[in-house]
Amino acid sequence: MKTRSNTVGARLRVVLGPGSAIGPGQAAILEEIRNAGSIAAAGRRMNMSYKRAWYLVKSINISFGKPLVVMQKGGRSGGSAVLTSLGKEVLMRYRRMEKLTAKAIDGEIKALKTTLNQKSGR
C-alpha cells in the first residue's frame, strides 16, 4: 500500500450524516480487501492488526447502515471478505472525489508552497 502521509495535498474526509463518513483509512481498507480478498490480508498489507482491521470494517458497515464488506467464516483455507456492490460504489466515488479535490486545490497548494519557500529562503 502506498502511503499518502508524505505527499503534498489534502486528506479528504466526507461526512454524510451523523456517524456516517468515509476518509482515507476507510477507503484504504476497502481497497485492500477488494485486492486481497480477506480482512486479515488487508490488515497485513496496511501494517495493521487483524483486530484493528476487523473493527474498521465493522464500523464502516455500521456507519453506512448497509454492509460495504461481507465476510465468510473460513474453514481450512481461512475466511474471506468481499466488497458488496455498495462497497464498490462507495470506494469508487470516494476515489473520484479525491481526484476532483486534488484538481480543485492544485493552484492553491502551489501558491502556498511558493509562499512558504519564499519565507523560509529556499
Side-chain angles (χ1 to χ4, degrees):
M1 182 186 115
K2 84 177 175 182
T3 179
R4 298 171 194 266
S5 61
N6 294 331
T7 61
V8 174
R11 293 175 47 104
L12 180 65
R13 179 165 174 78
V14 180
V15 178
L16 300 166
S20 183
I22 184 166
Q26 292 94 342
I29 193 81
L30 290 175
E31 201 162 62
E32 292 299 338
I33 289 169
R34 182 194 64 201
N35 296 338
S38 83
I39 294 172
R44 282 191 299 272
R45 288 179 177 202
M46 297 176 70
N47 296 318
M48 180 185 297
S49 72
Y50 173 77
K51 184 177 180 179
R52 174 73 180 127
W54 185 87
Y55 176 78
L56 192 53
V57 169
K58 183 179 174 185
S59 68
I60 291 167
N61 283 344
I62 290 170
S63 173
F64 279 86
K66 293 181 182 177
L68 274 61
V69 177
V70 291
M71 299 152 273
Q72 293 183 334
K73 289 189 178 182
R76 224 170 253 217
S77 61
S80 66
V82 295
L83 299 188
T84 62
S85 58
L86 178 60
K88 292 173 187 173
E89 182 177 356
V90 167
L91 178 58
M92 181 265 308
R93 291 188 184 280
Y94 178 81
R95 292 299 187 209
R96 189 181 303 155
M97 286 187 279
E98 277 185 320
K99 289 177 185 173
L100 290 169
T101 300
K103 185 176 179 181
I105 67 171
D106 183 59
E108 295 300 323
I109 294 288
K110 287 177 182 172
L112 188 56
K113 283 178 66 179
T114 299
T115 300
L116 291 172
N117 288 339
Q118 289 172 351
K119 292 196 183 237
S120 66
R122 289 184 197 169

